[in-house]
Amino acid sequence: MSVRERRAVVATGLIAGLALTASVSSCGAPQNDAKQSVLQIGAIPDQNPEKLNRLYGTLSAELSEKLDVPVRYAPVSNYAAAVSAFRTGSLDLVWFGGLTGVQARLQTPGARVLAQRDIDAEFTSVFIANGASGLRPFTSADQLVELKGRRLAFGSESSTSGRLMPQFFMGENGMKPEDLAGGGPGFSGSHDATVAVVQSGAYEVGALNEQVWRSNVADGRVDPGKVSVIWRTPPYVDYHWVVRPGLDERFGKGFTNKLQNALLDLSADTENGATILELFGAERFIPAKDEDYVMIETVGRQLGKIR
């Protein structure tokens, strides 16, 4: 091949490369614009995916109608992924537990709490035990020391009701994680899974969200002959909606307040509203603010979950 021919081949390749780059660039802009126009919502994966998909799919449709913008639910793999996706902007509105909500706001300046359920202002966890463990209901918190040497499962490592607050109350009553069998707790990954591993006997004791426990009992997934509640924690504040800053710039002035009102206005008087609230295990959503979660932040720092 002559020098002239080689130069022609190189030139042709450069032109093709520039054309491809231009094509990718021209395709990328509309995709980014499209993403900007969709309200992305998410939630910590604290229960089975089937229930979560039904809940947030129905909620997405309801919010889309009320807000007149496309709304999409994007599931995440674990609690940390929900915080990360919120921080990076992949999710705009997330249903967090107490701890993950605090973590998300600390990592995302300008983010704020919008609402919580009526049951979240005074939330509780329960300790459950397999009948074969020989453990019986505790009449006082100081009996938590009876868990020494037991196999205990929490839910997710970042769960407020399935780990943080149960561990806090254990510590307040002389029971340290290292006192458990194996030198520490196990982690089932979710509240539903905690029920399963205790009922199966893989763990003697578990701690979980009381609302999920009640739901499992109501749905017949608990064998009362195998597992029962042995202690209920004092109340604390828990789940809440947290929203990213900048939504008013993307969707129009006052959009964040409009979003908050759409959540607060959910009512059992409508078919979708009744389904959503039933799946959330609540009668309504109520206003909430950042300051409500100061205690959770304090406990999170004490236990090394917030630095």
Side-chain angles (χ1 to χ4, degrees), residues 206-257:
L208 71 149
N209 171 329
E210 182 169 11
Q211 181 210 22
V212 176
W213 165 256
R214 290 178 179 272
S215 176
N216 274 266
V217 171
D219 292 345
R221 292 194 295 270
V222 173
D223 182 344
K226 292 182 178 180
V227 60
S228 61
V229 173
I230 58 171
W231 191 67
R232 177 178 290 102
T233 69
Y236 53 88
V237 67
D238 200 356
Y239 291 83
H240 54 297
W241 286 108
V242 182
V243 66
R244 280 186 58 82
L247 296 193
D248 288 12
E249 287 72 23
R250 284 172 51 195
F251 297 102
K253 185 177 179 180
F255 181 83
T256 302
N257 288 337

Side-chain angles (χ1 to χ4, degrees), residues 8-75:
V9 170
V10 171
T12 300
L14 286 172
I15 292 170
L18 289 171
L20 178 61
T21 301
S23 174
V24 170
S25 298
S26 64
C27 291
Q31 288 176 349
N32 289 336
D33 290 342
K35 182 179 178 182
Q36 286 291 309
S37 68
V38 177
L39 183 71
Q40 306 274 351
I41 70 170
I44 53 171
D46 60 342
Q47 299 181 64
N48 73 74
E50 182 181 350
K51 180 175 182 178
L52 297 180
N53 287 332
R54 181 185 174 205
L55 168 55
Y56 294 106
T58 307
L59 178 63
S60 295
E62 180 74 5
L63 290 179
S64 182
E65 181 179 341
K66 291 289 175 59
L67 301 172
D68 197 27
V69 301
V71 180
R72 186 178 74 177
Y73 167 57

Side-chain angles (χ1 to χ4, degrees), residues 255-284:
F255 181 83
T256 302
N257 288 337
K258 187 178 178 182
L259 172 57
Q260 182 181 39
N261 289 332
L263 293 168
L264 299 179
D265 289 344
L266 285 169
S267 168
D269 293 337
T270 68
E271 184 177 350
N272 274 355
T275 297
I276 292 165
L277 291 173
E278 180 183 0
L279 289 169
F280 267 109
E283 293 186 2
R284 62 193 173 98

Side-chain angles (χ1 to χ4, degrees), residues 129-243:
N130 186 286
S133 69
L135 290 166
R136 297 294 177 261
F138 298 161
T139 57
S140 61
D142 57 12
Q143 287 181 271
L144 286 167
V145 294
E146 293 184 26
L147 300 181
K148 289 185 178 181
R150 301 287 187 167
R151 302 187 312 278
L152 180 145
F154 288 136
S156 164
E157 293 189 44
S158 296
S159 173
T160 304
S161 53
R163 187 274 178 89
L164 186 78
M165 296 310 295
Q167 183 175 326
F168 169 73
F169 290 120
M170 286 168 61
E172 289 286 285
N173 291 281
M175 179 65 207
K176 298 177 290 188
E178 52 266 35
D179 294 330
L180 294 167
F187 293 95
S188 71
S190 73
H191 301 295
D192 290 323
T194 297
V195 174
V197 297
V198 175
Q199 184 160 275
S200 72
Y203 285 87
E204 296 173 281
V205 186
L208 71 149
N209 171 329
E210 182 169 11
Q211 181 210 22
V212 176
W213 165 256
R214 290 178 179 272
S215 176
N216 274 266
V217 171
D219 292 345
R221 292 194 295 270
V222 173
D223 182 344
K226 292 182 178 180
V227 60
S228 61
V229 173
I230 58 171
W231 191 67
R232 177 178 290 102
T233 69
Y236 53 88
V237 67
D238 200 356
Y239 291 83
H240 54 297
W241 286 108
V242 182
V243 66

